[in-house]
């Protein structure tokens, strides 16, 4: 793993343009004895070939393959430009990471940075931080720990006929772990829980959350509360989006079945499974392509950029996973995430495309990869053949893309969120449940933050929109029940989404 010391970080830097920023990074690499004089020319040449801007204010200038011989030892130099630098095509870079790599060692750093740099709020924070230690911790993701659920938070076979008792058990367990304050306890005890269906209920609080945590209690036998079945209660404390993948899984049918019938181990596995499980289940009509990378140096910046440019020619939603490394599933339209997959020669990539031109997209990607993505490829044939398959039957309604290339028959509406505390977990779950009632593809956009359109059937993505009171949400629906979906969404928002 490539290490980053505080001496490699330069805060509050100032320069006139992109070339001077690259010159500063090259000079720092020379002074650190990472590269020989002349490496700068390789960095500038790389920039001429393909922009090294990754998105979210991050750029990673580095040399060409021809200048690898000038690298003495792998290293990076990080510059923060609070005022921002024009990086071409309207992109503004606030953090510039100059890279010198003798092989693919720098890819480990990019994998470390992926989850941090793909978050807009975190990237914006990096642009303004004045403490170098804090900057390094955030950049390296050292302040972000995986979300975990202790086994003690799962209480099964509780001998009770009281919903309040189950809520109290959960709240008490979260308090024992110092995950919540007393006002959280008061809030969840005094406010009604939300029924998710099948006898499962969820409760949370907008106050008193100390850290991400979840507790689940299940009664020995099913009982009734206000005419609705009760079997189990989930209580959530949320302070960051690290818990979002688990929140998303709460609406998955298989996860709910496990909560109702599984043992503690099975429940923990269901709740803490890969965040990609819910989002990447096989969709009827989705086209899947599995291809081997033939490039001698894998997917460094240039072939990755060529891959992303090919993907962006199509309106379909396209994701990719590095099967060899068993990576998470990421958007194939995000250059930073492609590079951070750490793809080397011989790695197998799995692409999934959903949309009207999905088949054309996957076929074009297969050809581009076979041709080397703008580079020479190995003459040795891959150990496994490339494959393309269609999952199930073709879908009838066109899927809504997560960009603005919308079908002509899309129905749109804008609604203002009136909830005092915005869309935290509970109202978000109500919204998602409403959307799932309709035979329609529905996407939503936070107009006030100019976010991308995301699936309105994903609890994780709804929560991640960062919706506060007064936020304007734009919904786009296609399919047989598109109008009914828009009408239903408007109605539940008007009623306060259960609050």
């Amino acid at each position: 793993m490539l290490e980053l010391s505080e001496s490699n970080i330069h805060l509050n830097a100032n320069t006139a343009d992109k070339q001077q920023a690259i010159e500063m990074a090259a000079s720092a690499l020379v002074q650190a004895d990472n590269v020989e004089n002349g490496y700068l020319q390789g960095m500038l040449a790389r920039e001429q070939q393909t922009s090294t801007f990754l998105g979210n204010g991050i750029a990673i200038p580095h040399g060409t393959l021809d200048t690898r011989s000038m690298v003495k030892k792998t290293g990076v130099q990080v510059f923060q430009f609070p005022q921002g630098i024009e990086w071409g095509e309207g992109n503004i870079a606030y953090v510039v990471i100059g890279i010198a790599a003798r092989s693919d060692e720098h890819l480990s750093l990019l994998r470390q940075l992926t989850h941090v740099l793909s978050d807009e709020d975190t990237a914006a924070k990096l642009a303004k931080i004045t403490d170098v230690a804090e900057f390094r911790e955030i950049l390296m993701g050292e302040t972000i720990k995986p979300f975990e659920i202790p086994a003690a938070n799962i209480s099964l076979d509780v001998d009770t006929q009281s919903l309040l008792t189950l809520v109290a058990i959960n709240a008490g367990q979260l308090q024992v772990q110092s995950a919540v304050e007393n006002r959280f306890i008061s809030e969840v005890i005094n406010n009604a829980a939300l029924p998710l269906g099948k006898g499962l209920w969820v409760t949370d609080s907008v106050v008193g959350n100390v850290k991400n945590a979840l507790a689940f209690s299940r009664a020995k036998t099913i009982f009734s509360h206000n005419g609705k079945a009760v079997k189990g209660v989930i209580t959530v404390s949320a302070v960051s989006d690290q818990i979002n993948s688990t929140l998303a899984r709460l609406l998955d049918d298989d996860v709910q079945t496990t909560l109702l019938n599984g043992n503690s181990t099975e429940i923990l596995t269901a709740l803490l499974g890969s965040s990609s499980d819910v989002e990447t289940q096989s969709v009827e009509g989705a086209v899947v392509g599995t291809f081997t990378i033939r490039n001698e140096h894998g997917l460094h910046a240039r072939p990755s950029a060529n891959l992303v440019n090919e993907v962006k020619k199509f309106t379909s939603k396209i994701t990719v996973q590095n099967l060899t490394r068993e990576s998470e599933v990421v958007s194939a339209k995000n250059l930073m995430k492609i590079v951070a997959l750490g793809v080397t020669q011989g790695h197998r990539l799995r692409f999934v495309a959903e949309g009207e031109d999905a088949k054309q997209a996957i076929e074009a990607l297969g050809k581009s990869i076979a041709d080397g993505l703008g580079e020479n490829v190995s003459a040795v044939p891959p150990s496994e053949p490339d494959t393309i398959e269609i999952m199930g039957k073709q879908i009838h309604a066109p899927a809504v893309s997560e960009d603005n290339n919308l079908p002509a028959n899309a129905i749109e509406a804008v609604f203002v969120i009136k909830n005092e505390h915005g869309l935290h977990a509970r109202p978000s779950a109500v919204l998602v449940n409403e959307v799932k009632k309709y035979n329609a593809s529905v996407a939503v956009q936070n107009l006030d933050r100019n976010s991308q359109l995301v699936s309105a059937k994903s609890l994780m993505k709804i929560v991640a929109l960062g919706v506060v009171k007064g936020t304007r949400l734009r919904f786009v629906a296609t399919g047989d029940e598109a109008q009914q979906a828009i009408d239903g969404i408007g109605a539940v928002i008007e009623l306060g989404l259960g609050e």
Side-chain angles (χ1 to χ4, degrees):
M1 182 179 294
L2 185 63
E3 295 296 329
L4 176 66
S5 69
E6 293 180 12
S7 62
N8 300 135
I9 299 172
H10 313 274
L11 301 185
N12 199 29
N14 186 35
T15 190
D17 54 36
K18 176 172 72 172
Q19 178 160 331
Q20 288 189 14
I22 296 175
E23 290 172 353
M24 291 173 67
S27 176
L29 289 170
V30 170
Q31 293 178 19
D33 202 33
N34 293 118
V35 298
E36 300 173 0
N37 284 316
Y39 186 71
L40 169 62
Q41 281 64 45
M43 298 177 77
L44 295 175
R46 166 64 72 194
E47 204 66 40
Q48 290 295 318
Q49 294 173 354
T50 307
S51 174
T52 58
F53 186 81
L54 294 182
N56 284 350
I58 312 295
I60 55 163
H62 55 283
T64 62
L65 294 177
D66 294 337
T67 56
R68 276 192 173 181
S69 60
M70 302 183 72
V71 177
K72 298 180 181 180
K73 59 182 179 182
T74 297
V76 297
Q77 294 289 327
V78 181
F79 287 81
Q80 176 207 58
F81 296 97
Q83 304 307 314
I85 302 169
E86 171 66 40
W87 212 265
E89 300 181 353
N91 296 316
I92 304 297
Y94 296 95
V95 177
V96 176
I97 305 175
I99 298 176
R102 300 181 65 180
S103 58
D104 297 321
E105 299 159 291
H106 66 295
L107 294 178
S108 63
L109 174 64
L110 293 179
R111 285 194 295 274
Q112 288 173 259
L113 302 182
T114 299
H115 298 297
V116 180
L117 304 186
S118 61
D119 180 77
E120 292 182 5
D121 293 336
T122 300
K125 186 176 182 181
L126 286 173
K128 303 298 182 183
I129 288 177
T130 57
D131 181 82
V132 68
E134 182 183 3
F135 183 98
R136 182 191 175 280
E137 286 182 353
I138 293 176
L139 187 65
M140 299 301 288
E142 294 178 356
T143 59
I144 301 175
K145 297 180 180 179
F147 175 61
E148 298 178 348
I149 303 175
N153 286 22
I154 309 298
S155 303
L156 304 181
D157 296 326
V158 180
D159 190 7
T160 184
Q161 296 285 299
S162 167
L163 175 63
L164 183 59
T165 296
L166 297 178
V167 173
I169 290 172
N170 289 347
Q173 189 58 43
L174 295 180
Q175 188 178 45
V176 167
Q177 296 167 7
S178 301
V180 300
E181 299 173 345
N182 288 335
R183 51 185 180 157
F184 179 99
I185 307 294
S186 177
E187 177 87 2
V188 298
I189 293 295
N190 292 307
N191 290 334
L194 169 74
L196 290 180
K198 300 182 180 181
L200 291 174
W201 297 62
V202 65
T203 183
D204 68 347
S205 169
V206 296
V207 297
N209 299 269
V210 177
K211 62 183 180 182
N212 289 331
L214 181 148
F216 174 68
S217 58
R218 189 175 72 195
K220 182 177 294 186
T221 59
I222 196 167
F223 59 91
S224 177
H225 176 81
N226 292 337
K228 295 183 179 180
V230 179
K231 179 64 174 176
V233 176
I234 304 129
T235 302
V236 178
S237 169
V239 297
S240 74
D241 60 8
Q242 289 298 104
I243 197 174
N244 285 352
S245 59
T246 295
L247 296 182
R249 298 180 67 79
L250 295 179
L251 297 180
D252 180 71
D253 287 340
D254 291 339
V255 173
Q256 291 183 358
T257 298
T258 301
L259 288 171
L260 291 169
N261 304 301
N263 58 36
S264 295
T265 300
E266 291 169 339
I267 290 171
L268 289 172
T269 300
L271 291 174
L272 295 175
S274 170
S275 61
S276 63
D277 289 351
V278 175
E279 298 299 322
T280 61
Q281 292 173 350
S282 296
V283 177
E284 286 191 352
V287 183
V288 180
T290 305
F291 310 117
T292 299
I293 296 300
R294 287 115 160 127
N295 300 55
E296 182 181 355
H297 300 286
L299 293 190
H300 54 92
R302 186 179 184 184
S304 294
N306 289 336
L307 175 62
V308 170
N309 288 337
E310 185 67 28
V311 171
K312 288 184 176 180
K313 294 178 182 179
F314 303 92
T315 60
S316 291
K317 174 185 175 182
I318 304 175
T319 60
V320 59
Q321 180 184 22
N322 186 337
L323 296 178
T324 305
R325 289 185 179 273
E326 298 183 349
S327 74
E328 291 186 355
V329 176
V330 301
S331 170
K333 295 183 179 180
N334 187 311
L335 176 60
M336 177 180 66
K337 292 185 177 181
I338 295 294
V339 174
L341 287 175
V343 180
T344 59
Q345 187 182 50
H347 279 191
R348 299 276 287 172
L349 298 187
R350 180 178 187 263
F351 293 85
V352 179
E354 302 171 39
E356 291 182 315
D357 57 2
K359 187 170 183 291
Q360 299 95 306
I362 293 299
E363 289 174 346
L365 286 173
K367 184 178 185 305
S368 295
I369 289 172
D371 291 341
L373 296 165
E375 294 187 336
N376 294 328
V377 297
S378 170
V380 179
S383 57
E384 297 180 65
D386 292 344
T387 61
I388 296 178
E389 59 180 325
I390 299 177
M391 306 303 294
K393 298 180 294 183
Q394 292 290 341
I395 54 177
H396 298 294
V400 176
S401 171
E402 289 194 9
D403 55 29
N404 286 320
N405 297 321
L406 301 174
N409 62 342
I411 297 175
E412 299 188 31
V414 176
F415 304 112
V416 177
I417 297 301
K418 301 177 181 179
N419 298 56
E420 188 66 31
H421 300 286
L423 294 190
H424 54 96
R426 182 187 299 177
S428 294
V430 173
L431 176 59
V432 169
N433 282 336
E434 180 66 26
V435 173
K436 287 189 172 184
K437 294 178 181 178
Y438 305 99
N439 180 23
S441 178
V442 183
V444 60
Q445 177 186 23
N446 184 335
L447 290 178
D448 296 332
R449 295 181 64 175
N450 194 29
S451 73
Q452 288 185 319
L453 281 166
V454 299
S455 171
K457 294 183 179 180
S458 166
L459 178 61
M460 176 178 67
K461 291 183 178 179
I462 294 293
V463 174
L465 286 175
V467 177
V468 297
K469 182 179 181 181
T471 293
R472 296 172 302 138
L473 293 184
R474 171 190 175 223
F475 290 86
V476 182
T478 61
D480 295 338
E481 297 181 335
Q483 186 62 61
Q484 296 95 312
I486 292 296
D487 293 342
I489 290 167
V492 296
I493 289 177
E494 181 64 28
L495 291 174
L497 294 164
E499 295 189 330

